[in-house]
Structure formats: C-alpha cells, structure tokens
C-alpha cells in the first residue's frame, strides 16, 4: 500500500520533470528570441545585433539547453521563475497576485459542478426513463457541447443586460463571481451528471440491488443506500479529469469577465511573446494537472482496495 | 442506413454540406465592409443583418462553416496519421522503443490538448516562425496537440490484437511483419480510431473556435465563428444577435457531433455500417475501454 503511494508519487514527479523539460525545450526552441525582446524593450527600435548578443551572453542564453534547463529548474524550485517580459515584474509576484483569483474561480466552479451533477444525476435516476430523465439527458448533452464563451455571453445577455442583476465585467463582490462560476461549472457538471446517471443505472442492475428490493426496500432507498456508494470511484476519477479541464474554462472566463487570473496572464504572455511568463505558467499548469491526477489516483486507491494491488504487466 | 440517428446528425451533415458549397451559398463577400449598412437588422439584402463593419452576417456564418470544416479536416487527418503510425509502431515493436514512445505520449497527455495547442501557438509566435500564417500555425499546433490521443488508442489496440492466436498462426505460416501488420492489425486499429476520431470532430470544432475567440486562431478578416462571437461581445448590449447567431451555429454543430460520438460509444450505430472499413470482429474489451477512456478524458 505504502509502496504503491511512493511509486505513484515518484512517477508523478518524473512526469512533472519530463513535461517541464519538454515545455522548456519547446519555448526556447527559437534561440535569441528572449534576448532580442529584452533588447527591444530596453532600447526601443535601436536595438542592434551587438546589444542582443551581449544580453544573450549575460543571461547565459548561449549555454547548451540542458544546462539552461537545470539552471531554470534550480531557480524555480527556490521560487524564482524569472521576470515577465511583458509586465517587467517578477513572476513570483504575478503568481501571488493572480493564483488566488484563479483558485477562487476553480473552487467555486468545482463546488457548483459537484452540486449540479449530483442533483441532475440523481433526479434522472429517480425518474428512471421518465420525462424528467429524458429532459435532463438532453440538458446534459447541450451543457457538454455549448462552448463556454457562448455560455458566458448568454449569461451576460440574460442576467446583466436584460435583468441587470449582476455586473457585466470585472470583480466587485460576491455577485460578480456568480456568472464566471456558472460558466465554468456547466460543462463539467453536465459530464459528471452523465457519469452519475449511467453508473447508478449500472449499480441498480447488480445483484445487491435485487437483494435490496427483495428485502422490501423502496426504489429510492435502494438507490440512495445501496447504489449511490458505488458511483464514488468513477465519479472521483471523472471529477479529477474535469477539474483539470476547468482550467481551460478559466482561461476563457477570465478573458470574458475581465478577471486578472493566471489564465488571462497566459493568453497575454502568448500574444506578447513573453516567453519567460509562458514558461512559468506552463510549469504551474504541469504541476497542477499532474498533482490533481495524483490526488485522484491516491483517493481512488484509498476508496477501493482492489486498486491497491500492483498491476500485472 | 435505416437505423442511423438521422435526426441528430442533421446539423453535422448540414455543416459539412454548407462548408463544401460555401462559395455558392454566400450572398455577399464575407470580408467586404459596407459602411453604409453598419449593424443593420435582418432584411432582404442582408438575411441576418450586418456586423459592426457592415459585413453580411449570413455570408460570414456560411464562410465560418467552411473555415472550421477545412481546419478540422486538416487537423483530424494529420493527427490521425501521426497517431496511428506512432502508436501502432510502439505497440508492434515493443521493448525499449515502446517504452520511450509511451513516455512521450504520456507526457503529451499530461496537459489538456487545448493548453498544449495554446503553448505551441505561443512558441510559433517567435520571430523564427514568422513565415507561417496564423491559420497554419493554429492547424499545426492543434495537430501536435491532438495526435497523442490517437497514438495511445492505436497502441492499445495493437497490443491487444497481437495476443490473439490468429496472429501467432500467421507467424507460424511464415507471414512477414509487414503482411501481419497491414492485413491483420491495421484494419483493427483504423476501425476503432477512425470511429472515435469522427466523434472527436465536435471537440475539434470547439477547440478551433476557442482559439479564435482568444485571438490566437483564425485571424480577421477570414470569417470564423469564435472570432465573430468575440467581435460581437463589444456590442452585446445593443446587438446581442451578433453574439447569439455564431454561438448557436457553433453549439448546434458540436451537439450533433457529440451525439454521433455517444452513438458510437454506446454502439447504437448498426453493425452493417461499422463493417467494411470499420471491421473489428473481436477487438478485445481492454482496447475498447482504453479507447473510450481516452475519448472521454479530453476536450
């Protein structure tokens, strides 16, 4: 058991290293880029080749790639992610200012997706083939297919423009978070509702459910007491995957609603060729995605003893 | 073809047809600006009105379908070829080569495809890539972000299929690797991967629109739905139709492709259709499950 944890954690760390090395190699694939950009910032259009070469030399950009990666990694582990080429501030400051916003967005969206999926999935299972079930199935499909920027736009049209309940843009208090949360929760909520529905249906056809009926339990009691615990593992796994995918939703939502989070910073970094900023955010993403997957794996192992056995090759 | 879910497929089919025949369906040039007819409502000359530059909305929607369709087909085919080649090679050869290739695939799958595509577009924005147009940067970035899904799927099918007794029989009969691969393995791989790739079309249309919405995909004046939508956002209070029309078009197409995917996943599509090219008599359960997990896990 403990050995499995160690193995998974080790593999996750290895994956993080490999993925950051790959992104580092990719981002620095265009040599001289960073130096040229810094020179441009410093001297305007008057940056000449000599100045660029000097900056490249000073920053050690002429060293071989592995050396540069190790140096970058050493700095990053100590909390130094370089200085953003776009804003001119250290990336650690940018992170400190922006990560809380993105986390608030993801957390609120995650809670909402959880609630939405459980309500929709359970209501569908209770109705079981009835009109409510069919309706919810359709709703889940549309929810999983509507682009999140369109969802955001429609929410703005209805709740800000038509009803005037919440501000269109920017962050000012609790209500301004509502539309962003709903926007990013709709997609994972719909996918998870399907997971709840399908797995409940599967559990209801298992022998223990029949036993429950034979004992004289009502359908609802079998559903909630016997079948519901069975969806835990597929639900957790899908939730983990969907939670990481919410980062994409966050990128879009931060732009639409003008939240200055990590996602908005990433897009700006790409547009302004801020390679240092891009590299730092990508590292953050890799750590985020790999850790969420690791947590889900470990949680699944804790919940289901069958997964603790080492897999046969 | 009787049991095909025709109704749900209608938007997808209309989308493909509109994309193919776009030039004949447009009433105006979608890039021409008419300052005398800015933000005009729907009329006989402009069926869906005009946008903030006086461009005909109807023609831009039609043109947008073509832009998306062409980009989607390019990315899907390229990612499919790369994924199938790398994945089946890894599965067939095995050993250390497989381990290396699998590691690369796993690294590529550690980040969501769209984030990889964004990062690659960022890399391509560097000075040494300026010879490439934004459109091709997007297509190449999406291809490089997408192939790993198909590679993992292909490898799973190959590994499962190699354990079948008939492969050993063929080998005993003296069949070459090339023969075994092309005659026995490849049809199975293609059968599964092509089906899932076709169901993936919706996710890809969505990805293209999202990139363009973020200003990192199809650049103006080429019409594209995501970009039309983001342009319309500035006029959302007075002219919400500028946002609603491209949004609805996009949603309809994605819903339709996703329904197709669901029909495949639940095996609702009749066997006769899955036969022929999509022949797979006994693709083992493990392979199917891996493939299903792969399609479910991505956007």
């Amino acid at each position: 058991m403990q050995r499995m944890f160690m193995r998974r954690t080790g593999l996750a760390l290895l994956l993080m290293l490999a993925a950051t090395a790959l992104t580092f190699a990719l981002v620095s694939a265009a040599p001289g880029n960073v130096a040229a950009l810094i020179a441009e910032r410093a001297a305007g259009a008057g940056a000449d080749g000599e100045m660029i070469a000097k900056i490249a030399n000073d920053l050690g950009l002429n060293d071989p790639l592995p050396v540069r990666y190790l140096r970058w990694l050493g700095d990053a582990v100590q909390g130094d992610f370089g200085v953003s080429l776009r804003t001119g501030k250290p990336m650690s400051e940018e992170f400190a200012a922006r990560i809380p916003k993105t986390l608030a967005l993801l957390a609120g969206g995650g809670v909402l997706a959880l609630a939405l999926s459980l309500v929709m999935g359970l209501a569908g299972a209770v109705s079981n083939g009835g009109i409510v079930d069919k309706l919810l199935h359709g709703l889940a499909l549309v929810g999983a297919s509507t682009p999140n920027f369109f969802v955001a736009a429609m929410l703005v049209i209805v709740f800000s423009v038509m009803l005037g309940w919440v501000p269109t843009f920017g962050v000012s208090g609790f209500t301004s978070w509502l539309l962003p949360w709903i926007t990013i929760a709709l997609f994972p909520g719909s996918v998870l509702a399907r997971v709840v529905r399908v797995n409940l249906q599967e559990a209801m056809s298992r022998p223990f459910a029949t036993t429950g009926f034979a004992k004289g339990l009502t359908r609802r009691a079998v559903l909630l007491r016997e079948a519901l615990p069975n969806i835990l593992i597929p639900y957790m796994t899908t939730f983990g995957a969907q939670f990481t995918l919410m980062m994409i939703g966050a990128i879009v939502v931060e732009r639409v609603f003008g939240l200055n989070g990590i996602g908005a910073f990433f897009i700006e970094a790409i547009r302004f060729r801020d390679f240092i900023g891009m590299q730092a955010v990508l590292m953050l993403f890799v750590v985020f995605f790999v850790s969420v997957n690791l947590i889900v794996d470990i949680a699944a192992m804790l919940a289901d003893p069958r997964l603790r056995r080492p897999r046969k090759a | 073809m009787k049991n095909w879910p025709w109704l749900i497929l209608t938007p997808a089919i209309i989308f493909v047809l509109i994309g193919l025949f776009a030039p004949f369906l447009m009433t105006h040039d979608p890039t021409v600006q008419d300052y005398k007819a800015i933000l005009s409502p729907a009329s006989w000359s402009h069926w869906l009105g005009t946008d903030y530059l006086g461009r005909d909305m109807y023609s831009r929607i039609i043109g947008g379908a073509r832009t998306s369709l062409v980009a989607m087909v390019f990315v899907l085919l390229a990612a499919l070829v790369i994924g199938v080649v790398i994945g089946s090679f890894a599965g067939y050869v095995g050993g250390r080569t497989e381990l290396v290739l699998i590691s690369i695939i796993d690294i590529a799958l550690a980040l969501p495809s769209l984030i990889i595509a964004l990062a690659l577009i960022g890399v391509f924005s560097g000075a040494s890539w300026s010879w490439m147009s934004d459109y091709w940067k997007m297509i190449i970035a999406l291809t490089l972000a997408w192939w790993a899904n198909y590679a993992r799927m292909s490898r799973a099918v190959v590994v499962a299929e190699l354990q079948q007794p008939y492969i050993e029989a063929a080998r005993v009969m003296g069949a070459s690797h090339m023969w075994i691969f092309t005659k026995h393995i490849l049809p199975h791989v293609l059968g599964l991967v092509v089906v899932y790739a076709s169901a993936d079309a919706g996710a890809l249309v969505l990805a293209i629109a999202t990139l363009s919405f973020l200003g990192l995909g199809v650049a103006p004046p080429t019409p594209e739905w995501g970009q039309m939508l983001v342009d319309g956002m500035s006029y959302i209070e007075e002219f919400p139709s500028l946002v609603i029309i491209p949004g609805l078009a996009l949603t309809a197409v994605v819903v339709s492709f996703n329904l197709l995917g669901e029909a495949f996943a639940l095996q609702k599509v009749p066997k006769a259709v899955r036969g022929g090219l999509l022949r797979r008599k006994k693709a083992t359960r493990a392979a199917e499950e891996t493939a299903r997990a792969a399609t479910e896990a991505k956007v």
Side-chain angles (χ1 to χ4, degrees):
Chain A
M1 176 87 177
Q2 210 147 23
R3 226 204 215 147
M4 279 296 276
F5 286 157
M6 300 296 281
R7 217 178 87 91
R8 286 290 168 92
T9 317
L11 275 178
L13 283 175
L14 213 64
L15 189 58
M16 278 184 203
L17 272 181
T20 50
L22 200 71
T23 52
F24 189 85
L26 265 177
V27 173
S28 14
N33 253 328
V34 173
L37 279 168
I38 294 176
E40 249 171 62
R41 297 281 136 86
D48 52 7
E50 205 175 312
M51 189 171 169
I52 293 172
K54 189 180 176 305
I55 290 173
N57 205 34
D58 288 349
L59 290 175
L61 292 178
N62 295 328
D63 293 340
L65 197 62
V67 175
R68 281 160 58 198
Y69 173 66
L70 287 179
R71 191 164 47 210
W72 174 84
L73 189 68
D75 287 345
V77 175
Q78 293 166 45
D80 176 9
F81 307 102
V83 177
S84 163
L85 294 175
R86 188 175 67 86
T87 62
K89 282 191 213 151
M91 279 311 295
S92 46
E93 267 178 45
E94 294 284 355
F95 277 171
R98 288 160 184 273
I99 288 177
K101 284 183 191 159
T102 303
L103 275 185
L105 189 61
L106 290 181
V111 170
L112 208 58
L114 194 88
L116 189 73
S117 64
L118 284 179
V119 169
M120 276 173 76
L122 275 173
V126 169
S127 156
N128 193 29
I131 184 104
V132 178
D133 194 17
K134 289 199 177 97
L135 220 73
L136 285 172
H137 184 188
L139 199 66
L141 182 87
V142 173
S145 306
T146 316
N148 36 30
F149 47 87
F150 184 46
V151 175
M154 289 309 288
L155 288 173
V156 167
I157 289 174
V158 174
F159 291 103
S160 300
V161 178
M162 285 165 70
L163 297 170
W165 287 354
V166 283
T168 323
F169 203 71
V171 196
S172 52
F174 181 75
T175 48
S176 62
W177 284 96
L178 282 177
L179 296 192
W181 280 341
I182 298 172
T183 307
I184 65 169
L186 191 64
F187 182 90
S190 303
V191 174
L192 285 165
R194 291 283 295 148
V195 171
V196 173
R197 179 73 192 90
V198 169
N199 282 291
L200 275 180
Q201 191 159 32
E202 202 264 337
M204 289 299 275
S205 66
R206 300 261 286 273
F208 63 78
T210 317
T211 314
F213 286 123
K215 283 196 297 186
L217 292 176
T218 58
R219 196 183 133 73
R220 190 163 299 193
V222 176
L223 199 64
L224 291 178
R225 254 189 272 164
E226 317 276 340
L228 196 58
N230 282 280
I231 69 164
L232 182 66
I233 302 223
Y235 189 84
M236 275 196 317
T237 330
T238 320
F239 188 82
Q242 290 300 320
F243 189 71
T244 54
L245 286 179
M246 265 168 51
M247 193 60 229
I248 293 174
I251 293 176
V252 169
V253 160
E254 282 175 16
R255 256 186 96 71
V256 176
F257 292 101
L259 297 164
N260 284 319
I262 285 295
F265 183 89
F266 186 51
I267 297 302
E268 292 302 305
I270 293 171
R271 296 182 119 188
F272 287 83
R273 291 184 280 152
D274 176 0
F275 291 105
I276 294 179
M278 261 173 67
Q279 176 63 45
V281 176
L282 280 174
M283 179 222 61
L284 192 71
F285 282 164
V286 168
V287 172
F288 172 69
F289 293 121
V290 176
S291 342
V292 171
N293 283 338
L294 178 69
I295 293 170
V296 169
D297 271 0
I298 290 179
M301 280 198 286
L302 286 176
D304 187 349
R306 282 171 298 183
L307 295 174
R308 281 178 222 154
R309 259 177 271 146
R311 234 184 279 162
K312 273 176 225 153
Chain B
M1 304 289 265
K2 223 184 196 172
N3 298 325
W4 269 79
W6 282 116
L7 191 68
I8 53 177
L9 281 178
T10 313
I13 293 166
I14 293 177
F15 168 65
V16 172
L17 289 178
I18 287 179
L20 283 175
F21 299 107
F24 306 105
L25 294 168
M26 287 187 231
T27 53
H28 294 69
D29 181 336
T31 59
V32 164
Q33 306 173 0
D34 178 2
Y35 295 112
K36 276 174 271 168
I38 283 176
L39 293 166
S40 59
S43 64
W44 276 114
S45 59
H46 299 288
W47 294 350
L48 293 174
T50 57
D51 69 1
Y52 67 106
L53 290 172
R55 294 176 294 197
D56 182 51
M57 279 295 277
Y58 165 74
S59 301
R60 285 184 71 72
I61 289 285
I62 301 287
R66 190 187 185 86
T67 313
S68 297
L69 181 73
V70 172
M72 179 195 87
V73 169
F74 264 120
V75 175
L76 216 53
L77 284 181
L80 204 70
V81 170
I82 298 174
V84 167
V85 167
I86 293 185
S88 11
F89 183 72
Y92 197 91
V93 176
R96 214 168 278 171
T97 320
E98 184 183 19
L99 197 69
V100 171
L101 288 173
I102 280 293
S103 312
I104 295 174
I105 293 170
D106 275 348
I107 294 169
L109 290 172
L111 287 173
S113 305
L114 199 68
I115 298 224
I116 297 180
L118 280 170
L120 286 170
I121 288 173
V123 171
F124 293 153
S125 70
S128 38
W129 299 92
S130 52
W131 48 273
M132 214 159 42
S133 75
D134 282 358
Y135 184 74
W136 285 102
K137 281 178 189 169
M138 178 190 77
I139 286 185
I140 293 174
L142 278 172
T143 305
L144 292 177
W146 229 265
W147 66 272
N149 295 295
Y150 304 135
R152 186 164 79 168
M153 225 182 276
S154 310
R155 185 202 150 256
V157 177
V158 172
V159 169
E161 209 56 39
L162 275 180
Q163 288 166 355
Q164 300 280 327
Y166 76 88
I167 298 289
E168 197 161 2
R171 210 163 271 159
V172 170
M173 277 159 47
S176 69
H177 285 302
M178 208 54 210
W179 175 271
I180 292 178
F181 184 74
T182 49
K183 289 281 166 182
H184 294 301
I185 310 263
L186 198 59
H188 284 103
V189 175
L190 286 182
L192 197 68
V193 177
V194 168
V195 165
Y196 282 101
S198 65
D200 232 17
L204 210 47
V205 170
L206 203 54
I208 293 164
T210 306
L211 289 178
S212 305
F213 178 85
L214 294 170
L216 295 166
V218 180
T222 311
E224 204 285 333
W225 293 341
Q227 172 217 320
M228 288 171 74
L229 208 148
V230 73
D231 278 350
M233 286 298 276
S234 316
Y235 303 88
I236 197 164
E237 301 197 7
E238 296 89 9
F239 304 97
S241 66
L242 293 185
V243 169
I244 295 174
I245 293 169
L248 281 181
L250 189 54
T251 308
V253 170
V254 179
V255 167
S256 184
F257 277 118
N258 283 355
L259 275 168
L260 180 68
E262 192 171 290
F264 279 131
L266 299 175
Q267 309 251 333
K268 272 187 189 155
V269 176
K271 271 216 182 78
V273 183
R274 279 189 275 124
L277 168 72
L278 312 178
R279 172 167 23 118
R280 56 183 174 120
K281 284 173 214 142
K282 275 189 219 155
T284 48
R285 235 185 116 188
E288 275 184 42
E289 270 172 16
T290 321
R292 202 165 297 164
T295 39
E296 274 170 9
K298 57 124 41 128
V299 161

